[in-house]
Amino acid sequence: LYNCTTKRLQQQFLRDFSYASLIQGRANYPCGRVPSRWPEVTAEDCPRGQENQEGPGDLGALSQSGRCTPDCPYGQARNRALAADLATLNTAYFLTETQYSGRFIKRHPFITIDEADLFEDNLLDHLALVITQRDINEFGIGGPGRKTKFEDWTGWSDRALRRVRGILGTLSTRGEWSTFSISELRRVRRLKRLSDKLLFFKEHVDENWIWEETPQHWSFKPVLVGEYAESFWGANPESKFLLMSATILDFQQFEKEL
C-alpha cells in the first residue's frame, strides 16, 4: 500500500506507477443504482454505504432489498485495489478503513506512509470528537456543565449518546429506509457517525484529552495519540511500515509520539 495525505498526490503516484490501483472514499464514486444522478447522489448514499456496521448505519436507501449492485463503482474500485499488487489510499480512508474493517492492511502487509510528518495530525483529526453548531441546533445536544473539567465529560457524553440514539430510534420506526429522501438518509448517516464518535469518546476519554471551542464547533481530542496509533500499527502483526517525509524529523521523538 502507498498511503498519502491528499487525492492529488494519489493521482501523481498513479502517473508514476500506472499499474497501481486507486481507492478513495465512497463519496468519490457514483451510486451504481442511479449513476445518472452523479454527483448529486454518490456511492456514500447507497443502502450499503456503511456496511459492516450495525443499526441504522446500514440503510436500505434506493432499493427495498438493501443489496448493493454488482456494478457498484466503489465496490469495483475497492475489489481491484484489494486484489492489486500495489494500491494507493489517502490517509483519511486508510485510518477509517483500518479502524472499521481492516481488509487492506490484512491484504497488503507492506505499507508506505508518505508525508509521515503529517500522520500524527491526521490521526488526531480522526480520533477527535467534533460537535458542530449544526449538530447542537439540529439534535439538541447541550454542552457539559463544566466544559474544561474531565469529570463532567463522561456524564455529558452518555447523555448526548442517548439523545442521538433516541433520534435514530424514532427515525427507524418510520418504515422502510427506501421511502426516505436523500437528504433524510444523509441526516441519518450523520447521526450514526456522531453516535459512533460519542461512543468512542465515552470509552476512551480521560484526563489526557482537551476541550477546544470556536464559534463553529466544540472539539475534544487527546493530547497524545501514541496509545491509539498502536491499534493501527498492530492491526496486522505481519505488517511492515515505511514512513517517508521530506521534512527532517527527530526520529526518536517521532517514534515516542507514534
Side-chain angles (χ1 to χ4, degrees):
L1 292 179
Y2 171 80
N3 181 79
C4 56
T5 57
T6 66
K7 300 172 190 175
R8 181 182 62 81
L9 284 176
Q10 283 185 283
Q11 295 295 338
Q12 179 180 319
F13 183 79
L14 288 175
R15 289 195 294 271
D16 294 336
F17 300 91
S18 58
Y19 61 91
S21 186
L22 172 72
I23 183 64
Q24 297 175 336
R26 292 175 180 273
N28 296 280
Y29 301 89
C31 176
R33 296 182 182 279
V34 284
S36 62
R37 295 186 64 183
W38 165 262
E40 175 197 2
V41 178
T42 73
E44 195 171 38
D45 301 311
C46 175
R48 301 294 294 178
Q50 295 188 34
E51 62 186 13
N52 297 327
Q53 298 187 35
E54 297 179 354
D58 192 9
L59 307 177
L62 301 174
S63 166
Q64 293 286 346
S65 69
R67 297 178 180 272
C68 199
T69 60
D71 58 348
C72 168
Y74 168 78
Q76 291 178 340
R78 180 196 59 205
N79 292 338
R80 285 194 300 269
L82 283 169
D85 292 330
L86 177 63
T88 174
L89 290 68
N90 59 64
T91 304
Y93 184 91
F94 171 75
L95 291 172
T96 300
E97 202 282 335
T98 301
Q99 180 177 0
Y100 290 105
S101 174
R103 282 172 292 191
F104 278 92
I105 200 169
K106 294 171 185 174
R107 168 65 180 83
H108 297 276
F110 300 101
I111 301 161
T112 297
I113 297 181
D114 205 349
E115 303 174 297
D117 54 298
L118 302 177
F119 192 77
E120 182 180 8
D121 288 340
N122 297 149
L123 181 55
L124 190 64
D125 289 341
H126 176 75
L127 296 171
L129 169 63
V130 178
I131 308 292
T132 67
Q133 194 62 49
R134 180 183 178 188
D135 296 332
I136 297 168
N137 295 337
E138 187 173 339
F139 304 141
I141 300 175
R146 295 175 297 174
K147 297 176 182 177
T148 60
K149 298 296 183 181
F150 156 70
E151 295 80 5
D152 283 15
W153 296 351
T154 52
W156 165 80
S157 62
D158 187 57
R159 293 190 299 274
L161 182 58
R162 289 201 304 269
R163 172 70 178 170
V164 169
R165 286 179 170 175
I167 298 172
L168 279 169
T170 300
L171 289 170
S172 69
T173 64
R174 282 183 45 185
E176 294 289 341
W177 293 115
S178 56
T179 64
F180 281 45
S181 68
I182 293 298
S183 62
E184 289 174 320
L185 290 168
R186 289 174 179 169
R187 182 171 186 259
V188 171
R189 191 169 63 245
R190 281 178 53 222
L191 284 160
K192 180 61 169 64
R193 287 176 176 170
L194 184 55
S195 174
D196 291 342
K197 283 285 191 179
L198 283 164
L199 180 60
F200 180 87
F201 175 79
K202 177 184 173 183
E203 292 178 344
H204 293 89
V205 66
D206 58 26
E207 63 275 6
N208 295 312
W209 285 57
I210 60 172
W211 155 286
E212 294 180 344
E213 184 175 10
T214 74
Q216 292 76 38
H217 66 265
W218 314 329
S219 66
F220 299 86
K221 58 185 67 176
V223 175
L224 299 174
V225 299
E227 64 177 288
Y228 306 102
E230 291 179 4
S231 64
F232 292 95
W233 305 136
N236 179 357
E238 298 182 0
S239 293
K240 291 179 171 59
F241 292 88
L242 171 64
L243 278 65
M244 305 194 305
S245 174
T247 301
I248 298 176
L249 302 172
D250 181 332
F251 77 89
Q252 292 177 326
Q253 182 66 26
F254 187 74
E255 181 184 29
K256 179 181 177 181
E257 293 173 350
L258 285 177

